[in-house]
Amino acid sequence: MKRPGNKTNADTPPPSYGVGSVTFVGAGPGDPELLTLKAANALAASDIVIHDRLVSDEVLELTGAQAVLINVGKKGFGPSAHQDDINALIVEHAIAGARVVRLKGGDPTVFGRLDEEIEAVKAADISWSVIPGITAASASVAAIGQSLTKRGRNASVRLLTGHDMKGFADHDWVALARPGEVAAIYMGKKSARFIQGRLIMHGADRATPVTVVENASRPDQRILATTLDALPVDLGAAGFDGPALMFYGLAPRAVRTTLIDFSQQELA
Amino acid sequence: MKRPGNKTNADTPPPSYGVGSVTFVGAGPGDPELLTLKAANALAASDIVIHDRLVSDEVLELTGAQAVLINVGKKGFGPSAHQDDINALIVEHAIAGARVVRLKGGDPTVFGRLDEEIEAVKAADISWSVIPGITAASASVAAIGQSLTKRGRNASVRLLTGHDMKGFADHDWVALARPGEVAAIYMGKKSARFIQGRLIMHGADRATPVTVVENASRPDQRILATTLDALPVDLGAAGFDGPALMFYGLAPRAVRTTLIDFSQQELA
């Protein structure tokens, strides 16, 4: 457990706990303004915030002064806290009477391992609920000025992951390879060459646009516009090391934002 | 154009306009707490808010006192404002110098006809940007305590529409009919029998769970848990007349929320 110096210190008296609960909260893609009002309220009222590595410092600043922050960060393909340990941590604090916020990057219902944690909380008979968040696909597509769906182009969109429990994730490549398909690929950087190979093998046009958005909505956001053919080379050259969302079937539309800035506005 | 009595009146002096702009804003599913902070700020700073029918009154209350609200509501399969007229309205006000918010239910990038409006704004050389919102699938799956994706069950999820420009929308029924698939079906009420028929024809298990969430996140939210087999009959009996999101492949998990209520909390 970590108590960051700027939030609490060891002399702070323990919070007065009541009946414990767990709220699974979507932190959104990084920009703290992309949290929902409900998520911000939950953070402000929490006793314990158990968060992933991908949750930005600016979002964590929305927690109340009384809250203790615990980082259980996990990184794709790398070392990670064991899910069982995270489950136990959540349950332990809720049983002690804390209002626990389990804060997950993006939307907890999208590639968030939410079910495993809910089952642990349910088994301990603890109250729980879910506050949705802006998922990376939504923030990233807004950043490139496109839509996930478009009349006359695609009447459906897939959110899929580049890797799963067994390694590279298998998908319905035949259907994805058809013209007009759009997919938002999470955790796809390491599997870009695999995905490219499978799609081309199943007949996808090598000129299909592919866009990669790194650090969507954050000040260091970067956008790579490429094609299915050039994806592995261009992605390697870009050297993205932040979280990235890959769009298959979408090219960026130039966004004119110079004159629009609501960031200095106070909330009414 | 409509000026609601509780927001502005005819004696209000015209706002001092500057350089016009258009912000496409996701209003989320209905609960005003499910707007992002950024969306709330944009509403507070807007001169003109052009909104869909599905945007709730509680969300519209977040607009500043100076804002003029224009309802261009559209309803699936029913009469609607022409898209060209909506495009013209947006452009007209932005050229006049207004900070226009184009407010769309849910997330503007998901079945929101966003591209057509962006193209009109671009053609008029007006500054624009997109603020994402919580889409109905995300709010609805949170309401039933489930995930859109789950390790070992589905490594992808589809968002699809029940009808498109040509009527009932066609989809990759073979792939959807496989065990473990999950799809969030927008505007699916009228096409429920068509979707059921296509899926069963392609080998889907009639016992596959289907859940329909009406008015997700709103006080009058209702949840129907059924199966693919019983879907048309149960949906007819439920008589839903609000916006509904249908999950193919998901059953509700009982959510324990009795003891969690952040709604009275002030934002930190």
Side-chain angles (χ1 to χ4, degrees):
Chain A
M1 189 183 306
K2 184 182 157 197
R3 292 170 185 262
N6 64 334
K7 302 296 295 181
T8 62
N9 65 61
D11 299 330
T12 306
S16 56
Y17 282 175
V19 177
S21 64
V22 177
T23 310
F24 299 94
V25 174
D31 178 351
E33 287 213 324
L34 289 182
L35 251 79
T36 65
L37 301 160
K38 192 164 191 163
N41 288 346
L43 281 176
S46 62
D47 298 312
I48 303 278
V49 177
I50 299 176
H51 67 91
D52 291 340
R53 187 184 62 87
L54 290 181
V55 175
S56 68
D57 292 344
E58 293 76 14
V59 168
L60 294 176
E61 287 298 321
L62 296 174
T63 55
Q66 81 292 345
V68 174
L69 308 183
I70 305 175
N71 183 348
V72 291
K74 290 185 289 194
K75 189 168 178 176
F77 278 38
S80 62
H82 285 292
Q83 186 64 55
D84 286 349
D85 296 338
I86 297 173
N87 298 350
L89 195 65
I90 295 168
V91 167
E92 173 198 324
H93 285 287
I95 285 177
R99 304 229 279 192
V100 176
V101 163
R102 175 66 174 109
L103 189 64
K104 289 166 175 283
D107 185 344
T109 77
V110 178
F111 305 117
R113 292 202 191 177
L114 178 62
D115 293 83
E116 296 157 64
E117 297 178 8
I118 287 177
E119 287 305 323
V121 167
K122 272 179 65 101
D125 201 29
I126 295 160
S127 289
W128 60 280
S129 65
V130 181
I131 299 177
I134 299 289
T135 190
S138 179
S140 299
V141 83
I144 65 169
Q146 288 286 5
S147 283
L148 292 172
T149 63
K150 184 180 177 182
R151 293 205 304 163
R153 182 190 68 198
N154 62 318
S156 77
V157 61
R158 273 169 244 242
L159 314 184
L160 54 89
T161 177
H163 68 86
D164 64 10
M165 298 162 80
K166 300 184 291 281
F168 295 133
D170 228 332
H171 292 287
D172 187 4
W173 307 111
V174 177
L176 281 168
R178 290 183 197 127
E181 287 291 318
V182 173
I185 304 172
Y186 288 70
M187 297 163 281
K189 273 188 300 181
K190 292 231 168 61
S191 47
R193 190 172 288 280
F194 170 79
I195 291 168
Q196 181 214 35
R198 284 290 185 282
L199 285 167
I200 291 175
M201 181 195 302
H202 288 90
D205 186 342
R206 287 174 178 269
T208 305
V210 174
T211 304
V212 187
V213 182
E214 184 200 29
N215 299 318
S217 86
R218 303 186 191 210
D220 54 353
Q221 171 181 293
R222 289 193 292 170
I223 295 170
L224 167 66
T226 180
T227 61
L228 185 60
D229 194 44
L231 171 63
V233 171
D234 285 354
L235 193 57
F240 288 169
D241 57 3
L245 195 289
M246 191 183 302
F247 290 112
Y248 169 74
L250 287 183
R253 177 187 272 134
V255 183
R256 276 200 58 190
T257 55
T258 4
L259 301 171
I260 308 178
D261 183 5
F262 295 117
S263 60
Q264 302 309 313
Q265 296 289 336
E266 294 297 321
L267 188 58
Chain B
M1 189 181 306
K2 185 183 158 199
R3 293 170 183 265
N6 63 335
K7 303 294 298 181
T8 63
N9 64 61
D11 299 330
T12 306
S16 56
Y17 282 174
V19 177
S21 64
V22 177
T23 310
F24 299 94
V25 174
D31 178 350
E33 287 214 324
L34 289 182
L35 251 79
T36 65
L37 301 160
K38 193 165 190 161
N41 288 345
L43 280 176
S46 62
D47 299 312
I48 302 279
V49 176
I50 300 175
H51 68 91
D52 290 340
R53 185 184 62 87
L54 290 181
V55 175
S56 68
D57 291 343
E58 292 75 14
V59 168
L60 294 176
E61 287 297 322
L62 296 175
T63 56
Q66 81 291 345
V68 174
L69 308 184
I70 306 175
N71 182 347
V72 292
K74 293 185 288 193
K75 190 168 179 175
F77 279 37
S80 64
H82 285 291
Q83 186 63 55
D84 286 349
D85 295 339
I86 296 173
N87 298 351
L89 195 66
I90 295 168
V91 167
E92 171 198 326
H93 284 286
I95 284 178
R99 305 230 280 193
V100 177
V101 163
R102 175 67 174 109
L103 188 64
K104 289 166 175 284
D107 184 344
T109 78
V110 177
F111 305 117
R113 295 203 190 176
L114 178 61
D115 292 84
E116 296 157 65
E117 296 178 8
I118 287 178
E119 287 304 323
V121 167
K122 272 177 67 100
D125 200 30
I126 296 160
S127 289
W128 60 279
S129 66
V130 180
I131 299 176
I134 300 289
T135 190
S138 179
S140 300
V141 84
I144 66 169
Q146 288 285 6
S147 284
L148 291 173
T149 64
K150 185 179 175 183
R151 293 206 304 164
R153 183 189 65 199
N154 62 317
S156 76
V157 60
R158 274 168 243 243
L159 314 183
L160 54 88
T161 177
H163 67 86
D164 63 11
M165 297 162 81
K166 299 183 291 282
F168 295 133
D170 228 332
H171 293 286
D172 187 3
W173 306 112
V174 177
L176 281 168
R178 288 183 198 128
E181 288 290 319
V182 173
I185 304 173
Y186 289 69
M187 296 163 283
K189 273 187 301 179
K190 291 231 169 61
S191 48
R193 191 173 288 279
F194 169 79
I195 290 169
Q196 180 214 36
R198 284 291 185 279
L199 285 167
I200 290 175
M201 181 195 304
H202 288 90
D205 186 342
R206 289 174 176 268
T208 305
V210 175
T211 304
V212 187
V213 182
E214 184 200 30
N215 299 320
S217 87
R218 305 186 189 211
D220 55 353
Q221 171 182 293
R222 288 193 293 170
I223 295 170
L224 167 67
T226 180
T227 61
L228 186 59
D229 194 46
L231 171 62
V233 170
D234 285 356
L235 192 57
F240 288 169
D241 56 4
L245 195 289
M246 191 183 303
F247 290 112
Y248 169 73
L250 287 182
R253 178 187 270 133
V255 184
R256 274 201 59 191
T257 54
T258 4
L259 301 171
I260 308 178
D261 184 4
F262 294 116
S263 61
Q264 302 308 312
Q265 296 289 336
E266 293 297 320
L267 187 58

